């Protein structure tokens, strides 16, 4: 049973990565498509008619509004980046040590990376601001999350940090029913990544002290 769930998760991730690659390719190669996708940023499906041509074939015929909205949202977030940024960043799987089984890199991890990538003199302020923003995000309803995400992803670009869009798609699809679990994972990954060096040194120090003297 566990192996079946893992295989299903891997298939879903592979499908999400194909979606992200196609949207990025559209944005990089087609200025018109890039503009139409970008104009859907922060809008509900009914207000994003210009996006249907590029998204509809990814959606199952049986409609699920929250699932469908996640596809539109992620496509618009990708398109919110300048075309040269999209073109210069091919979609690649994260490093193996960043992956959690069949899952990609959580948004919490990405937010922490943006703090670590910031200049040393700004890091303390950015760490506190990012923590507060994350706390705001995880308390949101689906509508609220879609409303606040564009502001947050734009801030990430200041330090050349990009979300794992395939994992973002998965999390947005599941948010209406699994917000607490996903929010906890985002927060745990944020602090785990932010403090990985100091916690790693502490673990090494504790292990060294635990070695009995000869």
């Amino acid at each position: 049973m566990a192996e079946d769930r893992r295989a299903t998760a891997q298939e879903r991730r592979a499908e999400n990565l194909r979606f992200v690659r196609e949207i990025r390719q559209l944005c990089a190669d087609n200025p018109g498509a890039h503009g139409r996708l970008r104009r859907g940023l922060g809008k509900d499906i009914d207000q994003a008619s210009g996006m249907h041509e590029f998204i509809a074939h990814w959606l199952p015929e049986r409609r699920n509004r929250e699932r469908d909205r996640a596809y539109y949202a992620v496509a618009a977030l990708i398109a919110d980046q300048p075309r040269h940024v999209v073109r210069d960043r091919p979609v690649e799987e994260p490093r193996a040590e960043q992956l959690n089984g069949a899952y990609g890199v959580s948004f919490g991890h990405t937010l922490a990376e943006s703090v670590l990538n910031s200049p040393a003199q700004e890091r303390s302020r950015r760490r506190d601001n990012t923590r507060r923003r994350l706390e705001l995000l995880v308390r949101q309803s689906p509508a609220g999350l879609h409303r606040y995400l564009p502001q947050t992803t734009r801030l990430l670009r200041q330090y050349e940090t990009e979300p794992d869009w395939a994992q973002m798609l998965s999390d947005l699809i599941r948010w209406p029913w699994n917000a607490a679990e996903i929010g906890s994972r985002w927060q745990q990954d944020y602090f785990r990544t932010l403090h990985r060096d100091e916690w790693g040194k502490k673990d090494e120090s504790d292990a060294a002290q635990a070695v009995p003297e000869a």
Side-chain angles (χ1 to χ4, degrees):
M1 184 66 71
E3 291 183 359
D4 290 343
R5 286 197 298 269
R6 179 181 174 83
T8 299
Q10 289 174 331
E11 291 172 5
R12 188 180 302 117
R13 178 163 178 81
E15 181 76 0
N16 290 349
L17 284 167
R18 285 193 291 273
F19 171 76
V20 171
R21 289 191 183 97
E22 180 172 304
I23 296 300
R24 293 185 69 113
Q25 198 69 47
L26 271 172
C27 291
D29 297 344
N30 188 327
H34 177 250
R36 289 164 64 185
L37 290 169
R38 190 173 190 176
R39 284 193 290 275
L41 189 70
K43 295 180 180 178
D44 205 344
I45 296 174
D46 299 335
Q47 303 171 313
S49 59
M51 300 179 69
H52 297 324
E53 177 182 353
F54 312 111
I55 309 298
H57 64 286
W58 286 96
L59 308 177
E61 290 188 13
R62 183 176 180 180
R63 296 196 64 188
N64 179 306
R65 190 172 186 83
E66 292 297 342
R67 177 205 61 212
D68 295 355
R69 187 178 185 184
Y71 281 88
Y72 283 76
V74 170
L77 288 168
I78 294 172
D80 190 44
Q81 303 172 107
R83 286 182 62 230
H84 73 273
V85 172
V86 180
R87 187 168 51 245
D88 294 343
R89 289 183 180 173
V91 177
E92 296 179 356
E93 272 286 51
R95 297 188 304 272
E97 64 269 21
Q98 293 180 328
L99 296 173
N100 179 15
Y103 298 94
V105 176
S106 83
F107 196 49
H109 176 101
T110 304
L111 290 172
E113 288 285 1
S114 75
V115 174
L116 296 173
N117 290 343
S118 63
Q121 64 272 22
E122 299 179 15
R123 202 163 296 157
S124 178
R125 175 181 58 83
R126 185 167 179 83
R127 181 183 62 234
D128 293 339
N129 290 343
T130 303
R131 175 182 54 78
R132 286 193 292 268
R133 183 172 291 272
L134 178 57
E135 290 173 349
L136 174 68
L137 287 175
V138 301
R139 294 197 303 266
Q140 296 303 310
S141 66
L145 185 63
H146 283 283
R147 184 168 60 252
Y148 283 110
L149 272 177
Q151 305 169 21
T152 308
T153 55
R154 283 176 176 173
L155 289 174
L156 293 175
R157 292 208 300 272
Q158 295 178 14
Y159 303 110
E160 299 185 353
T161 311
E162 186 177 28
D164 179 339
W165 296 117
Q167 186 58 47
M168 175 68 76
L169 175 59
S170 178
D171 288 345
L172 288 181
I173 290 172
R174 297 175 55 238
W175 191 270
W177 304 276
N178 299 97
E181 181 268 323
I182 296 168
S184 294
R185 175 159 49 84
W186 285 10
Q187 290 179 299
Q188 290 166 359
D189 286 350
Y190 174 76
F191 289 108
R192 186 181 294 118
T193 304
L194 192 67
H195 299 295
R196 62 191 173 198
D197 290 340
E198 63 185 87
W199 288 353
K201 291 177 182 177
K202 182 179 183 301
D203 289 343
E204 290 176 5
S205 176
D206 290 346
Q209 293 177 13
V211 175
E213 294 182 4

